[in-house]
Structure formats: C-alpha cells, structure tokens
Amino acid sequence: MTGKTLYDKIWDAHLVHQAEDGTGLLYIDRHLVHEVTSPQAFEGLRMAGRQVRAPEKTIAVPDHNVPTTEGRDKVIENEDSRIQVEALDKNARDFGINYYPVSDVRQGIVHIVGPEQGWTLPGMTVVCGDSHTATHGAFGALAHGIGTSEVEHVLATQTLIQSKSKNMKVEITGKLAPGVTAKDITLSVIGKTGTAGGTGYVIEYCGEAIRALSMEGRMTVCNMAIEGGARAGLIAPDETTFAYVKGRPHAPKGAQWEAAMDWWKTLYSDDDAHWDKVVTIRGEDIAPVVTWGTSPEDVLPITDVVPDPSAFKGGKVEAAKRALDYMGLTAGTPLKEIKIDTVFIGSCTNGRIEDLRAAAAILKGKKIKDGMRAMVVPGSGLVRAQAEEEGLADIFKEAGFEWRLAGCSMCLAMNPDQLAPGERCAATSNRNFEGRQGKGGRTHLMSPAMAAAAAITGHLTDVREMM
Amino acid sequence: MDKFESFSGVAAPMPLVNIDTDMIIPKQFLKTIKRSGLGVNLFAEMRYLDDGSENPDFVLNTPAYRNAEIIVAGDNFGCGSSREHAPWAIKDFGIKCVISTSFADIFFNNCFKNGILPIVLPQEQVDVLMKDAEKGSNARLDIDLENQTVTTSEGESFHFEVDPFRKHCLLEGLDDIGLTLEKASAIDSFESQATQARPWV
C-alpha cells in the first residue's frame, strides 16, 4: 500500500461522509469571515431560519473595505463600505461569533489575525470567503478560499462539499542567495508553472529552502498558491511551526498541548506517498524577481528585460501584447529602468512583522525619491504595535512613508487607497491584474525589500545592489 | 435555484486567456450586500468607457452578442479572487454557460452554486466553438446537460465531462445546504468523535 501525503491525512481526518461518486463532505475546524463576501450568506441563513452551527469556530474581522487612516473607528466615510462593516458588526453579534472590530488592536487582515491569535493550527481545515485563505497552509492546515454560497453552507452545517484534489509537490532545494526571499520563491514557482499550473491540485511545498523559512515566510509562499491555480498550499509542520504556535491566545495549553503535539508530529507526507505532479527548483537559481505584466505568472528576474510578446505561444501572445499596452511598457526595456510612482508595502502576502523588518533594513537612514508616494499598511494592529516598539515605524516615517492602520488597503483598493489611471506601483501584494489597485493602475509585484529599494531609487531596483 | 434546462443560445467569443475575476466584476461593485442586480456591472472596465457610455468594441456591446447566453473563453477563465459576485454578475446578465479549456477552481465551484454550467473541453474543440461563436447571432450553440453535449450551429457535437453530483444538483435545481442538513446525524457523530480525538480544536 502506498503511503499518504499530508493532504491525504488531513482530508481523511475530516471526512464526515463520502458519496459513491467520491464527493466528500469535509468537517471545517475554522471558518474565517470578513465583511465583503459574507453579508449575502448571513442573509441566506436568516431567510431560511437557520443558525450558525459552530459560532465558537467562526471568527469575523473587517479588513477589505476599512480605511487605513485615523478616525475610522468613529466613522467610515464611504457609505457602501460603512454598510458592509455595520452588517458584519450586526451579524457577529446576532449569531454570537468571535469578532475583532476596527476599534480592537487585534483587528487586521483576516489571514494575519487567524495565525496571530492561534486560531490556525496544524492539521486543521480552515476556510474563508477569500482566495488567499491558502496562507494558513503554512501551518500544515488544509486551507482554501470558498464562495459566498459555500460560506453560507459552512455557517449552517460546519461542513463543505468537496471533491478531492490531486497531489502536487513543489520542492525548493538548497539555500537561497542573499536578497532572495519567500516572495521570490512563490513568484518564481508561478513563473515556472503558470497561473493554471496548479489547477486541480493541492500543492505541498518542501525542500531545504522551505524548511529554512520562518512562519512569516512560509505564509507568504502558501498565500500565493492560489495564484498558481492550486486549491491550497501546504507546508508540513515542524519545530518552527510549533514554536510559532505555542503560547498564542487560542493555541492549546498544558495536557492538550502535549496531545496536540503528538498528532501534529504525524502530519507529514510519507516517503512512499504518490505525487501526481512534481516540480523542483534549485534555491540557488532563484533571483529577486518582479512582475512585468498583468498576470502573476508574468515573472522575471530583476536583471532581465521586458519580454517580446511574440516569444510566447498560443493565447499568451495576445495576452502579453495587451499586458504591455496596459502596463505602458516596450519590449526590450531593462526592468531596472522602469520608473515607479508609488510603493505599497502590506497585504496578507507581505504585511507581517518580518516583511516590515526586511523593508526597514533597506530604508534605514535613507529617504524615498522626491515625489514618490509610499505607504506601509501593517497586516494587523498587533503587527503595527510591534513595529512601533521595534523602531521600524520611525524608520519608515523618517524615510517618507505613510504609516497606516491595518487592513487590505491598496492590495485590492476597495477602500480609499487606490492608484490613479497610469500610476505605476511597486507592490508587495499578490495580484497585478488590470485595474486591481485602481482603474488603469499599473502594478509590479515584488518582495518588501525590493519595494523598499524601488522607493529609494524611484525605479525598479535590484535590492542586492543596496545590501 | 432554477432547474438547468437544455437550451440553444448565442455564444460570445472571448478568446483572451486568464480572464480574472477583477475583469469579470471590478471591486467597486463588491460593496453590495445583495446578490442581485450585478449584470449591469459585468466586465465593467472593458464594457464601459470613462464617461460611462458603452464601449462599442466590447463583444457584449455589439448587436450580435447583446443577448448572449454562453461565453466561449480563453484558458484559465475566472482566475483570481473567490468573489461569488463574478458568477452572480454573469448569471444576472443572462449567461448560463461558460466554455473554456480550464477554469480557476473557486470560480468553477461558484458557478454550480448559481445554476451556471462551466464546460471544460480540449483546446481543439474550444477552437471550433470559438470560430462558431464568432459567426454572430445566427449561429447558436446547443447545450444539453442531460446528455453532456455541446453542438455547434453546423451540427458538430462535443461530449463534455461533469461531476455526477453537480450535474444532478443543476438539473434538479437543488440547494446544497438542504442536502447536507439531511446528513445532520453524520455531522453530529463526526463532531463528537473529533472533539474527543482533538479536543483543542
């Protein structure tokens, strides 16, 4: 008999029922909820006279829509945003679910708050009406985004109807070179496999370079599994994971901690497990990368040039032409010569303390380019507080960055933080789609250190030259 | 949910690859707390000019495709966010079926919850359907879920695969939650066993 992958093990441990055609009914351990994809689900419950089955396993926090400027706990100017946040307030109260309102220092991006508070634990099933739920896979939890109908389904039944995905292994061997980060790993993987390369799979990331990452770095890697098309990304839990989890408010304690550890230590893929697809990348081959187009697969090392669309195949030729037109770029231009107007550091991909440390290390004692608009939006109120305590906030402010309150902010620009048409942004977020950061806005994705370097020089920059 | 019936409809060709959910429904329209009324915002940034008027070049604004009920799309349709506003907008516009070589996972799931049939076919067959769709409103595709076929205006027919459970739910217009609640006792017993095995959850 072949062994099991980590995904197989978590799936089996949560299978309530399996139909003859293979469709599974999975038990959900943690359901995270935010204001944008939940109102219709709660409305559906009310109309059907249903309750939330497990309010103690349901955690709500407003993040997508909230302004990141002071005074937001008093009033949110945009009426539609205010209505959504008020609806979440009311739904959390009416249904008795765990809730972190904007006035709470623990508020932040749902995928940063979950791990920070110890809600996310190894071996769990975690869902949220948000595609970047993949983030929680860093803990060896099976975590993925769901639609609003499924949010309603989980609220009502604490289960999800799922067909099982195939198993894909992404191994990053060896060591990363200086200046290369988790963001460069995850972007490089997507650059290699494409945005549909993971479709139908759950990815497990492994290898020496992954093992060497902190939990923050692992969350960055898993966060973008969805950008590679995968349902979820996973990293087997180890001592790094256990050390991060221990002592968090909702982590187990005492005898329960010991019992949990006994199980968590069994959560790895067996040596003889079957993989449907394997991708291997040498850590040494990964360079600091940026995106040049309007898909996260449009990735190149910073030392490269804007590609010629005719070099692609099939439908990608037209897509690349359209992307260059949208991005205002000419084939053959060195990436390092692309001038930028704005820098955004934050998001569920790169809004954690380690990300802010990496950016601050580049910015220390320096100023951003004249005329540059630059902002840091910490991923949570607690990340923000810690950064202030460590003196990082002062470094950002002295460099010329705006120091904001926590939220999703300019990653998806649902709040007032948006790009103007034609404005070009170095962003640490996860999507460079047309209009993503504001209609007509142009996004280049990169690591926090690379974004900080670009803020100083005013153009895309190889951070290794500043180290 | 309405039952999904076989139908014959105009198919709009959208050959672009990686049509993402930000294109399908830009984020400024996610601030609603309702499911309805999003059809007017479908593909908003491609469909309307800066002054709010219709972009005459956009496929769904051309006379042939204003009443399209099918989209034939490039690879990896619906990639990006989990927003169910994307299928809500598609459905509200009147599209009942999307055909592509592949779909992003969450979008694909969301379609079935809203009575939309996403059909995956190999590249060569999607190419044939794309060509047929480009003929305009006189060329209609036949979609037959019961027999799992798409038929072109010239009578060429392609078989597609669909998950049997999802097919059943679409054909019968079934509500997932109702079906799952029929298994409430299985959920109860799983929950009590899991609580014993993993009390920290």
Side-chain angles (χ1 to χ4, degrees), chain A residues 211-396:
Chain A
R211 284 288 138 229
L213 292 174
S214 65
M215 285 316 295
E216 285 84 353
R218 294 177 188 188
M219 284 189 256
T220 301
V221 170
C222 289
N223 172 276
M224 289 191 72
I226 183 72
E227 257 54 69
R231 178 170 293 172
L234 283 172
I235 296 175
D238 60 11
E239 291 305 324
T240 303
T241 321
F242 308 142
Y244 178 98
V245 168
K246 194 163 193 180
R248 304 223 165 234
H250 296 279
K253 294 176 179 61
Q256 286 205 359
W257 172 264
E258 298 304 325
M261 283 286 281
D262 286 345
W263 188 56
W264 293 347
K265 285 179 176 172
T266 68
L267 297 175
Y268 53 82
S269 291
D270 297 330
D271 289 340
D272 57 345
H274 171 74
W275 298 99
D276 300 289
K277 188 171 178 178
V278 177
V279 173
T280 305
I281 298 179
R282 275 166 37 97
E284 292 83 357
D285 291 345
I286 300 175
V289 292
V290 295
T291 62
W292 52 268
T294 53
S295 166
E297 70 191 10
D298 299 340
V299 174
L300 282 173
I302 180 66
T303 47
D304 217 319
V305 300
V306 175
D308 184 341
S310 65
F312 293 99
K313 291 196 183 92
K316 189 69 188 171
V317 176
E318 278 308 308
K321 277 187 200 160
R322 183 185 167 95
L324 290 197
D325 183 48
Y326 180 85
M327 293 296 288
L329 295 174
T330 312
T333 306
L335 294 170
K336 282 197 270 189
E337 289 178 11
I338 297 172
K339 289 197 166 56
I340 56 159
D341 310 303
T342 300
V343 170
F344 168 64
I345 296 176
S347 85
C348 58
T349 315
N350 282 125
R352 285 168 284 269
I353 189 68
E354 185 179 275
D355 302 313
L356 304 195
R357 285 180 193 142
I362 300 297
L363 289 165
K364 190 166 187 181
K366 300 206 171 68
K367 297 273 185 216
I368 61 173
K369 182 86 173 172
D370 280 346
M372 178 76 60
R373 169 189 181 204
M375 64 167 85
V376 184
V377 183
S380 73
L382 291 179
V383 168
R384 188 174 194 267
Q386 188 176 350
E388 286 175 349
E389 203 175 289
E390 293 183 13
L392 308 180
D394 292 334
I395 294 173
F396 284 116

Side-chain angles (χ1 to χ4, degrees), chain A residues 13 21 27 40 50 53 81 84 129-130 147-149 152-153 195 231 297 412 414 431 433 435-436, chain B residues 18 20 22 27 30-32 34-35 76 80-82 84 105 110 165 177 180 188 190-191 198 200:
Chain A
D21 66 9
Y27 192 80
Q40 293 88 349
R50 289 169 176 148
R53 181 181 168 101
S81 297
Q84 278 193 333
D130 186 274
T148 298
S149 295
E152 185 179 340
H153 189 280
T195 47
R231 178 170 293 172
E297 70 191 10
L412 83 167
M414 275 193 77
R431 289 195 178 126
F433 296 159
R436 172 76 178 182
Chain B
N18 294 332
D20 59 65
D22 280 80
K27 70 253 171 186
L30 309 187
K31 296 188 179 190
T32 175
K34 297 186 165 59
R35 291 173 204 243
N76 199 28
S81 109
S82 66
E84 200 161 316
D105 189 48
N110 283 341
F165 173 72
I177 298 178
T180 299
D188 289 342
F190 178 92
E191 202 166 50
R198 299 191 291 275
W200 60 86

